[in-house]
Every structure is written in C-alpha cells, then in structure tokens.
Amino acid sequence: MIKWLTTVLMAFFLCLPAAAQEELQIKDIEKGTGEEANVGETVVVHYTGWLMDGTKFDSSVDRGTPFSFTLGERRVIPGWEKGVEGMQVGGKRELIIPPEMAYGAQGAGGVIPPNATLKFEIELLDVKGKKFSDIGNKELEEKLAAGATVIDIRRPDEWRETGVLEGSHLVTFFDESGNVNPEFGAKLQQLISGPADEVVLICRTGRRSQVLSEYLAGQAGFTNVVNVQDGIMSWIADGGQVAEATMPEKCWLC
C-alpha cells in the first residue's frame, strides 16, 4: 500500500508541467459512440507510440495486451491525461505531445531521448466507472449534520492555519515530502468497522483526497468512499464554519 501510494504521489507532483512551451495536439481519427471517459474513471486502451522521426518505441497492440489506468490519478504522463479525457469507447485519437507534457528533459528508459515530442495513436476500448463519489459543500454540510466519519488528511500546520471541520477526525496522510504516514491504515481501522462503512475524505483542495479515494476504492476494497471535491478551502470560501484544530493525542507529525 505505502509503496503504491508513494509512487502515485511522486508522479502527481513531478509530472505536472509548470508551463508547456508547445501545445498538446489532439486529433480524432475515429469518433467513438460508447461511454465517455471522465476523470476518476478507469480506461482500457490500445496504443502505439512513436518518436517524431517515425521510430516506434512502444505498442500495446504489438503485445496484444491492452493497458488500463485511471484518469486523474497522475500515473501516466500529462499529455495522456488530457488527451484521453473526453474520448468515447470505440474512438481513436492521435496525440502529439510536447516534451513538457511527456518525459521532459530527462527522457525515459534509454528509449525516449531528452526533450522528445511524442506521437501516440490511442484506441479507447472500455471505460469502467469510478468507485468513489465526489461531493460539494452542500453535500458535505449534510454529511456533517448526519454524523458521517469525516477524515481531514492534511498536515498539522495546515490544520492550524485554516481550522478544521467541527467533528472531523485529524489523520495526516502524508508529509510535505510525500512520505506516507505509516500509521494511517491503523488509524482508519479505528474509525470505521470495515470497508463497507462510509468514509468522507477532505484535504486542502481535493487533490490528495482524490488520490487516496482512488486507492481505497480501487485497490483496497472500500465500497463507500466519498471525496470532498474542492477541499476545505472551497468550504471556507463559501462561508462554511471551521473550528480551532485540537491536535490528536498521538500525531505523526506533531
């Protein structure tokens, strides 16, 4: 669990380009007619990738094995995240991905040179619905009133800075360097009786809680995970009430 989460979080921060010097080019070769691929859903694709000189460097088609990933998890390069979103099952797209949205100055695996623009042809074979739900501030208010188990996964300095939701549980997920709290799983088990129980996750802007929601619902067998989509900053901006943070008796980073 920890290894997987750390990999995802590193990719999340390292793969986002500061500013692309070139535009991602998206061309529909064939329009699909099936379900649309949206953030939070798992997509199954066939693909072939080329360097711009025509050198083919990878192909799931040649291997005969489709590739799957979840949009929004940042487990693939940013050009794929943006290029696949909105496709419909049965469709094919050509993506021309600038290096800033691919592998950048470092290249990859001795196959993709530094600062390489890449060309992909992607066919969307299937879309599997996301296994967690996103909510906004109105739904969060209802959850709080109903006594739902709400877990604030931010760091102690963030709790102190903004305050916290009254009645929420404060359990840091990972520190500022991306290290996962080794006690998180045990703390979660103390708060719920099992993976079928509802758990509501909140962070600063919804990004970290989305990653954790993806893991719990997609990999750990939880069936009632709720992500506060825009985080506590949106709650505060909308006039939501917060309380002063009281540090847990045993706090990983306190």
Side-chain angles (χ1 to χ4, degrees):
M1 170 180 175
I2 292 175
K3 182 178 179 182
W4 185 91
L5 287 172
T6 302
T7 300
V8 170
L9 294 168
M10 287 178 65
F12 176 80
F13 287 109
L14 295 178
C15 287
L16 289 176
Q21 295 176 358
E22 302 176 50
E23 296 273 337
L24 170 67
Q25 299 177 44
I26 301 173
K27 175 184 176 183
D28 283 308
I29 300 171
E30 185 177 332
K31 288 277 191 179
T33 57
E35 187 173 351
E36 184 177 294
N38 295 301
V39 172
E41 297 175 324
T42 298
V43 296
V44 182
V45 302
H46 260 317
Y47 70 91
T48 301
W50 298 268
L51 302 178
M52 295 309 291
D53 65 4
T55 302
K56 181 165 62 174
F57 59 82
D58 193 14
S59 176
S60 68
V61 178
D62 293 349
R63 290 192 297 273
T65 304
F67 174 69
S68 64
F69 67 97
T70 301
L71 283 168
E73 256 187 10
R74 308 301 198 272
R75 297 183 72 185
V76 296
I77 57 176
W80 267 49
E81 289 276 5
K82 295 182 80 64
V84 173
E85 184 178 354
M87 288 185 72
Q88 290 179 268
V89 171
K92 290 184 180 180
R93 274 185 180 175
E94 178 185 275
L95 306 179
I96 306 296
I97 304 177
E100 294 81 7
M101 301 186 74
Y103 295 96
Q106 73 271 21
V111 178
I112 299 173
N115 299 311
T117 296
L118 306 179
K119 175 182 175 180
F120 285 95
E121 183 174 301
I122 298 177
E123 178 182 6
L124 182 58
L125 305 175
D126 193 14
V127 172
K128 300 175 182 179
K130 66 183 180 182
K131 299 179 181 179
F132 68 94
S133 57
D134 287 315
I135 62 170
N137 293 330
K138 184 178 186 214
E139 294 88 350
L140 175 58
E141 186 175 4
E142 294 169 355
K143 296 285 186 187
L144 290 168
T149 301
V150 179
I151 303 177
D152 189 325
I153 66 171
R154 297 178 297 156
R155 302 185 305 271
D157 60 300
E158 295 177 288
W159 297 334
R160 295 188 188 97
E161 177 189 354
T162 65
V164 298
L165 298 173
E166 187 74 47
S168 63
H169 302 276
L170 310 184
V171 186
T172 297
F173 175 38
F174 67 95
D175 66 17
E176 195 168 4
S177 299
N179 300 307
V180 176
N181 180 0
E183 301 175 359
F184 185 86
K187 295 287 187 184
L188 179 59
Q189 290 178 14
Q190 292 173 9
L191 296 174
I192 59 176
S193 60
D197 287 359
E198 181 182 60
V199 56
V200 181
L201 303 173
I202 189 168
C203 65
R204 186 177 182 85
T205 61
R207 294 172 129 189
R208 284 169 282 178
S209 56
Q210 178 182 325
V211 170
L212 182 54
S213 295
E214 283 285 357
Y215 175 75
L216 293 178
Q219 305 289 327
F222 284 73
T223 58
N224 199 359
V225 180
V226 179
N227 173 47
V228 181
Q229 189 168 14
D230 296 316
I232 198 165
M233 298 308 293
S234 172
W235 170 263
I236 293 171
D238 281 354
Q241 297 298 306
V242 293
E244 183 178 350
T246 301
M247 294 300 106
E249 184 177 342
K250 291 184 178 181
C251 177
W252 180 48
L253 291 176
C254 294

